[in-house]
């Protein structure tokens, strides 16, 4: 996405303005993988074998990143990816797969924690998620944690529309008939669903929770009357992240791109920052030395301190979910009453990840 590339470009420009890395300027090669599984795999093949790239920064496609994990293992080329599926760094991860920011495990667990904390009397739960890796993985983690936190919760229905689905009429009809207390949504295309759900007041008939990363991304594009008021969305809202480095980051992004950062801006930026600092720490562009330097590394970022797992290479950041509201001063929808969820608390330990990988062999 454009905002993801803004985060990546700013991290590269920032490093080059500081003299580069190990005295060399960074060269960013960008290829379009069209967000398809086949093109994602072929793009990585082209970069590692055709362009001889030393390091890779992935896109946000959960379907594509699993296939890419196999390629980077074969080529021994480290990749920082912004796909969300936890399998990329957990079950199907390897020595060369990295991700600094949140994943579906953290998003799903955070949504369950939100339900337990904010809606203790809610028992009837319905899930609506796109039928692909991101939708399935996040929903699986949500249900797993919800059953642990609220044993009396009942999953009364689950629907899996196709990734490219834009007509949600039959799903909304089924939801209205089921009358759940909680509706978890995790869609590849959220705006079409909202365009059909908001006018009929769906968010006032049940508590809607959309814990995926795209909350701030979607809200800034919507008019006031289009907003899913009272729904709870997840993401990385710049206005809820309270640390000095974030304040500087927000201003730099505004100055460079004339807009506020959204979730994907942070995701691209922190991934590249980790790679840059890993190279600096290694004192070399030797891939094996950089991997070793990155393992267990802690880095101060605009999202706060983040530590990469020594085996999983998964960052353990904080994550936010908030209630949708209109902010007249900003001129776009925002998340209010935000709750921050700890990756250190909710993500599996490195020993647990080791067992996942052994079981997946």
């Amino acid at each position: 996405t454009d905002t993801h590339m803004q985060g990546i470009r700013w991290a590269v420009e920032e490093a080059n303005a500081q003299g580069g890395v190990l005295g060399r300027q960074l060269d960013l090669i960008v290829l379009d993988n069209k967000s398809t599984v086949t093109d994602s795999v072929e793009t990585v093949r082209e970069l590692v074998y055709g362009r001889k790239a030393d390091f890779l920064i992935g896109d946000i496609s959960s379907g594509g990143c699993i296939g890419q994990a196999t390629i980077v293992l074969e080529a021994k080329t480290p990749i920082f990816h912004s796909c969300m599926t936890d399998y990329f760094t957990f079950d199907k991860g390897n020595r060369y797969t990295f991700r600094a920011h949140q994943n579906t495990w953290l998003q799903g667990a955070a949504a369950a924690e939100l339900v337990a904390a904010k809606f203790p009397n809610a028992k009837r739960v319905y899930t609506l998620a796109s039928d692909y890796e991101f939708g399935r993985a996040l929903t699986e983690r949500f249900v797993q944690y919800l059953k642990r936190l609220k044993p009396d919760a009942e999953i009364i229905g689950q629907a899996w529309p196709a990734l490219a689905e834009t007509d949600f009429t039959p799903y909304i009809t089924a939801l209205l008939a089921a009358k759940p207390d909680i509706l978890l949504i995790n869609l590849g295309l959220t705006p079409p669903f909202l365009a059909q759900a908001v006018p009929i007041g769906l968010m006032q008939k049940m508590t809607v929770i959309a814990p995926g990363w795209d909350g701030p991304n979607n809200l800034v594009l919507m008019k006031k009357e289009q907003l899913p008021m009272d729904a709870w969305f997840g993401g990385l809202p710049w206005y809820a992240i309270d640390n000095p480095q974030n304040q500087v980051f927000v201003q730099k992004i505004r100055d460079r791109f004339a807009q506020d950062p959204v979730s994907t801006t942070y995701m691209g930026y922190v991934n590249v920052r980790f790679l840059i600092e890993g190279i600096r720490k290694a004192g070399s562009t030797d891939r094996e030395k950089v991997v070793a330097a990155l393992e267990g590394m802690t880095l101060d970022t605009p999202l706060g301190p983040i530590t990469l797992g020594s085996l999983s290479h998964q960052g353990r950041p904080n994550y936010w979910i908030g209630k949708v509201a209109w902010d007249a001063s900003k001129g776009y929808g925002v998340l209010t009453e935000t709750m921050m969820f700890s990756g250190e608390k909710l993500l599996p330990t490195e020993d647990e990840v080791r067992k996942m990988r052994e079981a997946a062999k």
Side-chain angles (χ1 to χ4, degrees), residues 9-49:
R9 290 188 188 282
W10 176 244
V12 171
E13 291 175 13
E14 183 181 55
N16 284 340
Q18 295 167 353
V21 180
L22 306 183
R24 296 163 57 186
Q25 294 286 288
L26 295 173
D27 184 19
L28 183 63
I29 302 170
V30 181
L31 297 183
D32 181 7
N33 65 13
K34 304 178 179 64
S35 292
T36 70
V37 174
T38 300
D39 286 323
S40 292
V41 171
E42 290 308 311
T43 298
V44 165
R45 284 191 183 279
E46 166 63 16
L47 285 169
V48 296
Y49 294 118

Side-chain angles (χ1 to χ4, degrees), residues 58-231:
D59 62 298
I60 61 174
S61 169
S62 289
C65 70
I66 296 299
Q68 292 173 356
T70 302
I71 305 302
V72 298
L73 176 60
E74 173 189 283
K76 297 183 178 180
T77 303
I79 184 171
F80 272 86
H81 216 293
S82 285
C83 71
M84 291 294 124
T85 177
D86 52 70
Y87 297 111
F88 178 72
T89 45
F90 293 165
D91 308 58
K92 299 178 182 179
N94 61 59
R95 177 170 173 78
Y96 303 97
T97 54
F98 292 82
R99 175 174 46 213
H101 52 75
Q102 76 279 0
N103 62 3
T104 48
W105 190 298
L106 178 54
Q107 293 168 318
E113 293 265 348
L114 176 77
V115 172
K118 289 279 191 179
F119 311 102
N121 296 323
K123 292 183 172 61
R124 293 166 52 81
V125 179
Y126 202 110
T127 71
L128 176 68
S130 295
D131 189 13
Y132 79 125
E133 185 63 38
F134 178 45
R136 291 274 179 181
L138 190 152
T139 303
E140 179 183 346
R141 298 309 164 203
F142 169 73
V143 172
Q144 172 190 345
Y145 271 76
L146 186 66
K147 289 181 176 179
R148 184 184 306 171
L149 295 168
K150 287 177 62 63
D152 60 342
E154 178 188 2
I155 307 300
I156 64 169
Q158 292 191 290
W160 306 97
L163 175 59
E165 182 62 76
T166 57
D167 180 10
F168 291 94
T169 303
Y171 302 102
I172 292 173
T173 300
L175 282 168
L176 293 173
K179 298 181 179 179
D181 300 318
I182 301 289
L183 169 62
L184 180 96
I185 63 173
N186 190 43
L187 301 168
L189 296 173
T190 307
F193 171 79
L194 297 178
Q196 295 160 59
V198 170
I200 64 169
L202 186 74
M203 284 67 189
Q204 288 69 51
K205 294 179 172 66
M206 59 195 71
T207 297
V208 177
I209 302 174
W213 55 266
D214 60 345
N217 291 55
N218 284 323
L219 298 181
V220 299
L221 301 175
M222 303 175 76
K223 297 178 181 178
K224 183 178 180 180
E225 61 272 18
Q226 297 173 319
L227 289 176
M229 297 293 195
D230 300 327

